[in-house]
Amino acid sequence: MTGNMKISVLGGGSVRTPLLIHGLAQAQSEIGVSEIALFDVDSCRAQLMAALGNEITKGRGIRITTPGGLEAAIDGSKFVVSSIRVGGMAGRARDERIAIEHGYAGQETTGPGGFAMALRTVPAALEQARMVERHAPGAWLINFTNPAGLITQALMQHTGVRVIGICDTPSELFHRIAWALGEPFEKMQFDYAGLNHLGWVRRVLLRGGDVTDRVLIEDSTLRRLYPGDLFDPDLIRTLRLIPTEYVFFYYSQRKALHNQNASGATRGEEILKLNEELVGSLERLVAAGEPQRALDVYKQYLNRRNASYMRLEANAESAFQQGKHDWDPFEGATGYHRIAVDSIAALSGARIHPALLNVRNGTTIDELAPDDVVEVPCELNQFGPKPLPIGLLPKTIEGLVTAVKEYERLTIRAAVEKSFDLARLALLTNPIVGEWEPATSLVRALVESDPRNLGYLSN
């Protein structure tokens, strides 16, 4: 397919952007992308990622642009991919450190860290979505901005933009299950339900037959499902549900906190340091006219980052692996860029695609309201997502899911209504916090640490 499709990337200075550009370039014959517009409040970072993007798309007829304003970036786009981080990685590191100081594991999408990220992000995400409505009417917004489910729900409730939320966490687990069983992924199906970063595989099917017990029976198989030693195999067998990795912060909060304290760092602090090293190297190489070497450095960065994922929280291993990594991260079978490209292809009519998405619940999960956003299997085509029925949740996870969803609703209200009291009520409702006095002190500490982005909650 040839075409004249513009795709905008908000948060285009993100270190994930070159992966997305690679995926779009690979799918050019399907979706006909002609321009990828990168916008970031840090224009230098956007230009740096554009330099890598130009190397990736060399000879493919795709223009990588870095418009100076949000309106120009969005104008005329058919798809807008949102991957913003309000406050940057420094904000994440600060949030996670405050959580630890108050006795909770520091994590960017769950607990106090996720709460702070949501409060910073909702106003910016709503402003950008309204710009999409005005300057790219009819465009699809592909939301990867975390916390992805909560942000997608805020966009659906408070704007008229067409939006789906994406996350690579479930697909990573699905591929790991296939790998652990030694079976071809394309022959497998997964019965999955939950919320973003709070989901479970209920059944595993191989060529239509139930092989869940094959996954559950051996400790060694269960331990291969995760990047670190997250879950006791007996827990998974007792549940008869296979949790995604972020459920660890609900099931093993004290273990996560202990390991972070033992390592002396949080994931955000380590990535902040790694990103600073990466950006410095890329700037030097791009300025020297060596974009291919810059791309090689970028691939090494991805391998180091991926190799260390969740190991700090699970095993108290704080150092990034320094060994040689030969795997090409651009060719991985999973990742958010794969999901984003598959979603764009389906929504543009190039294919019908089964997808695991964050979408409006409707009647999908019985215990949740129709307007709640859930993370469930969907059929996706040019008319949008059609979630597949889930029915009732297992009783062992029903309470946790409904409590977290109420926390998400309250957090959105706190951000929209600019309410300090709703903010601490949200943290009271969050199962990780669940106490009034800590909720109050956490909100105050987070506001004081980031008055620029959270000052609207000042009491």
Side-chain angles (χ1 to χ4, degrees):
M1 174 187 292
T2 59
N4 189 31
M5 180 187 289
K6 177 181 177 182
I7 296 176
S8 300
V9 183
L10 309 184
S14 164
V15 295
R16 294 178 183 264
T17 296
L19 286 169
L20 177 61
I21 293 172
H22 172 78
L24 291 169
Q26 282 192 319
Q28 186 186 18
S29 61
E30 269 191 294
I31 60 179
V33 59
S34 58
E35 178 185 354
I36 303 172
L38 309 183
F39 175 79
D40 201 288
V41 293
D42 186 340
S43 59
C44 293
R45 281 282 295 269
Q47 291 166 10
L48 194 58
M49 295 305 133
L52 296 185
N54 284 322
E55 186 68 16
I56 292 166
T57 60
K58 187 181 296 183
R60 293 179 179 266
I62 299 175
R63 291 190 303 129
I64 311 295
T65 61
T66 55
L70 181 60
E71 178 180 332
I74 291 171
D75 188 52
S77 294
K78 299 297 184 184
F79 294 92
V80 178
V81 180
S82 174
S83 183
I84 66 173
R85 182 182 290 280
V86 180
M89 192 59 68
R92 171 183 177 175
R94 185 173 59 243
D95 296 340
E96 292 178 347
R97 180 52 55 189
I98 289 172
I100 289 174
E101 290 171 352
H102 283 75
Y104 304 94
Q107 207 284 316
E108 69 166 335
T109 62
T110 64
F115 169 75
M117 187 177 196
L119 288 176
R120 269 203 302 270
T121 305
V122 166
L126 291 179
E127 178 185 356
Q128 292 181 348
R130 290 168 183 142
M131 290 282 283
V132 172
E133 288 185 276
R134 291 196 296 270
H135 299 288
W140 278 97
L141 195 157
I142 313 295
N143 180 59
F144 188 68
T145 295
N146 274 321
L150 186 155
I151 298 301
T152 302
Q153 182 155 331
L155 296 178
M156 286 185 178
Q157 287 180 344
H158 295 283
T159 77
V161 73
R162 299 198 295 177
V163 57
I164 58 171
I166 63 172
C167 178
D168 55 355
T169 296
S171 65
E172 292 281 356
L173 178 58
F174 299 166
H175 279 82
R176 280 184 170 269
I177 291 172
W179 171 70
L181 292 180
E183 299 289 355
F185 175 78
E186 62 273 11
K187 301 296 183 181
M188 302 188 72
Q189 299 84 41
F190 303 89
D191 176 6
Y192 176 94
L195 309 177
N196 180 238
H197 287 185
L198 190 71
W200 295 261
V201 173
R202 303 191 296 183
R203 284 195 310 154
V204 180
L205 304 176
L206 174 64
R207 299 181 181 90
D210 192 329
V211 294
T212 309
D213 285 336
R214 277 185 58 190
V215 184
L216 298 177
I217 194 168
E218 294 287 344
D219 286 10
S220 58
T221 302
L222 292 172
R223 292 190 187 282
R224 295 174 78 189
L225 302 185
Y226 304 99
D229 186 18
L230 296 178
F231 301 105
D232 183 342
D234 283 342
L235 164 65
I236 301 175
R237 276 192 291 269
T238 302
L239 278 172
R240 291 198 61 81
L241 298 167
I242 304 170
T244 54
E245 59 217 31
Y246 287 94
V247 181
F248 174 73
F249 292 97
Y250 295 92
Y251 286 169
S252 299
Q253 174 70 197
R254 283 185 289 181
K255 178 181 176 181
L257 176 61
H258 170 81
N259 287 341
Q260 287 177 339
N261 280 323
S263 70
T266 70
R267 175 73 173 170
E269 289 166 344
E270 291 202 327
I271 293 178
L272 177 61
K273 181 179 178 181
L274 192 65
N275 284 2
E276 288 172 348
E277 294 173 2
L278 170 70
V279 170
S281 296
L282 294 181
E283 287 175 341
R284 288 191 294 273
L285 290 169
V286 169
E290 298 184 79
Q292 184 56 55
R293 282 192 60 198
L295 202 55
D296 291 339
V297 168
Y298 174 73
K299 291 177 181 179
Q300 293 167 11
Y301 157 87
L302 290 178
N303 276 319
R304 287 183 65 197
R305 178 167 172 166
N306 292 341
S308 67
Y309 181 61
M310 291 290 284
R311 299 192 67 81
L312 184 151
E313 294 85 354
N315 307 327
E317 297 176 4
S318 62
F320 282 97
Q321 296 188 19
Q322 300 292 331
K324 183 178 180 181
H325 303 287
D326 293 325
W327 177 70
D328 186 349
F330 283 96
E331 301 306 321
T334 61
Y336 106 94
H337 60 298
R338 298 288 186 197
I339 301 170
V341 171
D342 286 342
S343 298
I344 289 170
L347 290 168
S348 63
R351 67 174 91 143
I352 297 174
H353 180 64
L356 202 293
L357 300 170
N358 287 268
V359 296
R360 183 180 181 276
N361 179 47
T363 59
T364 306
I365 295 179
D366 291 352
E367 294 90 345
L368 298 177
D371 288 339
D372 286 333
V373 165
V374 295
E375 190 171 76
V376 293
C378 301
E379 292 179 356
L380 186 64
N381 59 28
Q382 61 188 338
F383 302 108
K386 179 183 178 183
L388 303 179
I390 296 296
L392 291 168
L393 295 171
K395 289 296 182 183
T396 49
I397 63 173
E398 176 188 346
L400 180 56
V401 170
T402 54
V404 170
K405 180 48 69 176
E406 180 59 19
Y407 150 76
E408 291 183 353
R409 296 184 195 114
L410 287 167
T411 301
I412 293 168
R413 284 188 58 199
V416 171
E417 299 177 29
K418 301 180 179 180
S419 170
F420 179 92
D421 286 339
L422 283 174
R424 55 182 177 170
L425 181 59
L427 268 188
L428 174 69
T429 306
N430 189 305
I432 290 174
V433 179
E435 295 182 83
W436 182 248
E437 290 81 11
T440 301
S441 61
L442 273 164
V443 174
R444 286 180 177 147
L446 291 166
V447 169
E448 289 169 3
S449 74
D450 188 11
R452 176 179 177 181
N453 294 305
L454 297 177
Y456 67 86
L457 290 177
S458 297
N459 187 17

